[in-house]
Amino acid sequence: MTATTRGAFIVIEGLDRSGKSTQAAILQSRLQGGEQSARAVLIKFPDRTTAIGKMIDAYLRSQSELDDHAIHLLFSANRWELASTIYAHLAAGVTVIADRYAFSGIAFSARKGLPYEWCRAPDIGLPAPDLTLFLNVGPEVARVRGGYGEERYEMEDVQRGVRAVFERIGEETKRTGQGEWVEIDASREKDLVAEDIWRAVEPLSIGVVSSLQRLWEKDPTT
Ligand code: DGP
């Protein structure tokens, strides 16, 4: 029996203003323009275009208030509503790049004091990324870059707490081997960051033979 090749699922995570969206766009065009000319789609979380995404958008702009648990579940539901789209693309051999994913879900809510395990639970079973690129910048660098302050969470002390939770997630992912977690020094010039990203992604750009895993099927904390 011949093994079938599917598209790779690549997630880009990081603090606000770490350059995720810029790098995701560079990566997408590089994948599409290469010799192999892979097809690649970019999905941004939260997806603010859906009905759930509109509620999230209003919350982030402080136009509505929601209980911390309720908004956490909405962010997760927003990922679940796109899960079948992700599966379909991957099965069709298309590379999927997600700008943020479930790791942001844990990081932003656990920072508020919600229990880590509780934060992880609603995302268990989502399609698991083959590779997560964590764009690492200090919160002070991120603040200077684009100007925090327009949306909820865009404050240095919040970002500092979020970063600490991301570090825990990265350590757990590396220890348990459930997916690959690569840290990229994103405080550097954007072309250098893009080169490091490409080095990590290139082996996956021709597709993946192994079957897609589900997120946290094994408890990473044990
Ligand atoms: P962005 O559109 O990437 O700038 O993200 C909007 C904000 O929402 C940003 O401050 C990070 C935060 N965020 C993204 N995903 C989640 C999530 O799953 N849960 C929570 N609580 N916040 C999130």
Side-chain angles (χ1 to χ4, degrees), residues 150-184:
E150 284 152 33
E151 286 202 334
R152 203 186 285 262
Y153 302 142
E154 293 186 343
M155 287 166 290
E156 198 173 331
D157 62 327
V158 172
Q159 301 290 322
R160 207 171 288 286
V162 166
R163 188 184 195 219
V165 187
F166 271 131
E167 277 170 12
R168 173 175 174 180
I169 299 168
E171 278 160 23
E172 281 174 6
T173 307
K174 287 184 208 159
R175 182 169 46 75
T176 58
Q178 293 190 68
E180 201 184 340
W181 181 280
V182 173
E183 256 174 56
I184 307 275

Side-chain angles (χ1 to χ4, degrees), residues 15-175:
L15 298 188
D16 292 354
R17 305 284 192 267
S18 58
K20 291 180 304 305
S21 301
T22 305
Q23 292 296 337
I26 294 174
L27 178 59
Q28 184 190 22
S29 62
R30 191 150 190 185
L31 281 163
Q32 287 173 331
E35 275 171 35
Q36 307 288 340
S37 197
R39 281 184 299 149
V41 294
L42 182 51
I43 296 179
K44 177 159 175 48
F45 289 111
D47 175 349
R48 303 187 194 213
T49 64
T50 69
I52 294 169
K54 290 192 173 100
M55 293 170 75
I56 295 171
D57 183 58
Y59 172 82
L60 288 171
R61 291 173 191 273
S62 300
Q63 288 168 355
S64 70
E65 290 303 320
L66 279 170
D67 173 80
D68 289 344
H69 302 80
I71 185 65
H72 182 80
L73 296 173
L74 287 180
F75 272 107
S76 176
N78 187 235
R79 288 184 279 275
W80 277 108
E81 63 182 342
L82 283 160
S84 58
T85 307
I86 294 175
Y87 279 122
H89 282 308
L90 297 176
V94 177
T95 302
V96 176
I97 305 163
D99 177 351
R100 291 196 190 277
Y101 200 50
F103 312 110
S104 278
I106 302 181
F108 281 82
S109 292
R111 200 284 317 171
K112 294 176 182 170
L114 299 188
Y116 185 88
E117 284 310 314
W118 188 90
C119 294
R120 198 165 59 85
D123 287 314
I124 293 174
L126 278 172
D130 297 296
L131 170 67
T132 302
L133 299 157
F134 179 67
L135 303 197
N136 198 5
V137 286
E140 59 297 335
V141 173
R143 172 173 50 78
V144 170
R145 273 189 182 175
Y148 283 156
E150 284 152 33
E151 286 202 334
R152 203 186 285 262
Y153 302 142
E154 293 186 343
M155 287 166 290
E156 198 173 331
D157 62 327
V158 172
Q159 301 290 322
R160 207 171 288 286
V162 166
R163 188 184 195 219
V165 187
F166 271 131
E167 277 170 12
R168 173 175 174 180
I169 299 168
E171 278 160 23
E172 281 174 6
T173 307
K174 287 184 208 159
R175 182 169 46 75

Side-chain angles (χ1 to χ4, degrees), residues 3-8 90 130 204 207-213:
T4 48
T5 306
R6 61 171 174 84
L90 297 176
D130 297 296
L204 301 175
V208 176
V209 176
S210 61
S211 59
L212 188 73
Q213 304 295 301

